[in-house]
Amino acid sequence: MQFRSLLAGSAMLALLAGCATGGPSGQESDAGVSASEQHYQGTLPCRNCDGIDLDVTMVGEETGAAEERTFTLDATYRNHPQTPPPENYAGNWEVLNGTPSDPDATVYELTPNGDGQIYYFQRINERTLELIDPERRRFENGEMLQLQLQRQ
């Protein structure tokens, strides 16, 4: 399975499979990506495995030139019955402003080079990014899903 199609699917499957954990967290006004390199890690829910370990490194500054804002995204599946190989993507990232529920939110749009799905992460605070859908909405099922990455 390709991560680019499984990522969005796993979030939706997690909703259906009742894999929701954690609680809501509010938007905080912390600094965004301002160092030259930020590293985030987390484990996303997976219906057919123990989770998808996600490792994202964003290079560049929010106010820097677009060509200087690059990222790598590595995904590894835990105990998946089909044992898919790790997936690795690289490309550029942009800063988007606002979501339907929070016009002041900061969203990072990660666009892989070549084939691949665009990923959207909302900055929850300076240490936390949360995977959101292409319409810039948070995935919810009564409780917030554990779709967050923590800065390392």
Side-chain angles (χ1 to χ4, degrees):
M1 282 190 249
Q2 293 291 325
F3 177 70
R4 60 182 175 259
S5 61
L6 186 60
L7 181 60
S10 70
M12 294 307 294
L13 290 173
L15 286 170
L16 298 173
C19 293
T21 61
S25 43
Q27 177 74 21
E28 297 179 21
S29 301
D30 294 344
V33 176
S34 57
S36 62
E37 182 173 301
Q38 299 290 320
H39 185 83
Y40 297 89
Q41 290 180 320
T43 302
L44 302 179
C46 176
R47 182 176 179 170
N48 297 323
C49 66
D50 293 341
I52 303 169
D53 292 328
L54 205 60
D55 190 338
V56 176
T57 300
M58 297 170 62
V59 176
E61 298 186 20
E62 286 186 12
T63 58
E67 63 274 2
E68 294 174 2
R69 291 190 306 260
T70 62
F71 78 92
T72 58
L73 185 149
D74 301 312
T76 306
Y77 299 87
R78 290 186 185 176
N79 298 318
H80 194 284
Q82 296 174 341
T83 316
E87 297 185 25
N88 310 95
Y89 301 96
N92 292 86
W93 60 274
E94 294 290 330
V95 180
L96 306 177
N97 294 312
T99 66
S101 63
D102 182 358
D104 297 323
T106 298
V107 174
Y108 300 121
E109 177 185 72
L110 283 63
T111 304
N113 297 327
D115 284 341
Q117 155 182 327
I118 297 172
Y119 306 98
Y120 297 88
F121 290 94
Q122 181 176 344
R123 186 180 74 215
I124 303 302
N125 58 47
E126 73 176 33
R127 302 209 46 85
T128 307
L129 298 182
E130 183 174 306
L131 177 69
I132 58 175
D133 74 17
E135 301 297 318
R136 294 193 235 171
R137 296 178 303 216
R138 296 173 88 179
F139 294 102
E140 294 187 38
N141 185 24
E143 299 178 37
M144 290 307 299
L145 292 172
Q146 189 60 35
L147 298 175
Q148 296 184 346
L149 306 179
Q150 299 300 316
R151 192 167 118 196
Q152 304 301 301

